[in-house]
Amino acid sequence: DVTLAGYNRGMKRDLNKRIMALPLRAKGALIWRMFRDPDVPLAAKSILPVIGAYVAMPFDIIPDFIPLLGQLDDLVVIGIGLWLFVILTPRTIIEEHLVEFE
């Protein structure tokens, strides 16, 4: 049962638990370090600027003036984008950087 970037379900669950156990600041630092790592594929790195551009754009799927739903679409896009970034990054690179925060 092999999926993207050498993951199987057990590995994904383990990495997910380890990442989610980090404080928010450490999660941000982990993403930043991985983004700067030359071994992370360009496909994974290209997702982060797209997320930033979407959040900064004045155009949204659901306009921000609609209470709660306007901000919820931004959070969903950020969550999906970060999930894709992690999935497209080889497991060994994530584990290498994750050790520094545990």
Side-chain angles (χ1 to χ4, degrees):
D1 181 29
V2 176
T3 60
L4 290 172
Y7 293 96
N8 66 34
R9 289 180 189 197
M11 290 175 188
K12 281 196 294 189
R13 268 185 252 127
D14 175 57
L15 276 177
N16 189 24
K17 285 179 186 177
R18 291 169 59 198
I19 292 170
M20 294 309 288
L22 295 174
L24 185 59
R25 178 174 254 166
K27 289 175 191 169
L30 174 66
I31 295 295
W32 179 246
R33 282 187 179 189
M34 288 172 29
F35 180 72
R36 292 182 18 214
D37 189 326
D39 295 330
V40 173
L42 185 59
K45 287 183 178 185
S46 65
I47 292 171
L48 297 180
V50 170
I51 293 171
Y54 176 80
V55 171
M57 267 185 355
F59 307 106
D60 284 330
I61 296 169
I62 301 173
D64 285 339
F65 65 82
I66 299 173
L68 190 62
L69 292 178
Q71 288 76 32
L72 188 61
D73 74 320
D74 291 343
L75 291 175
V76 168
V77 168
I78 291 169
I80 290 171
L82 291 176
W83 174 78
L84 278 172
F85 177 74
V86 170
I87 290 298
L88 293 174
T89 302
R91 176 177 42 91
T92 55
I93 295 172
I94 295 172
E95 289 176 352
E96 176 184 309
H97 288 284
L98 195 53
V99 167
E100 299 172 21
F101 293 98
E102 294 179 319

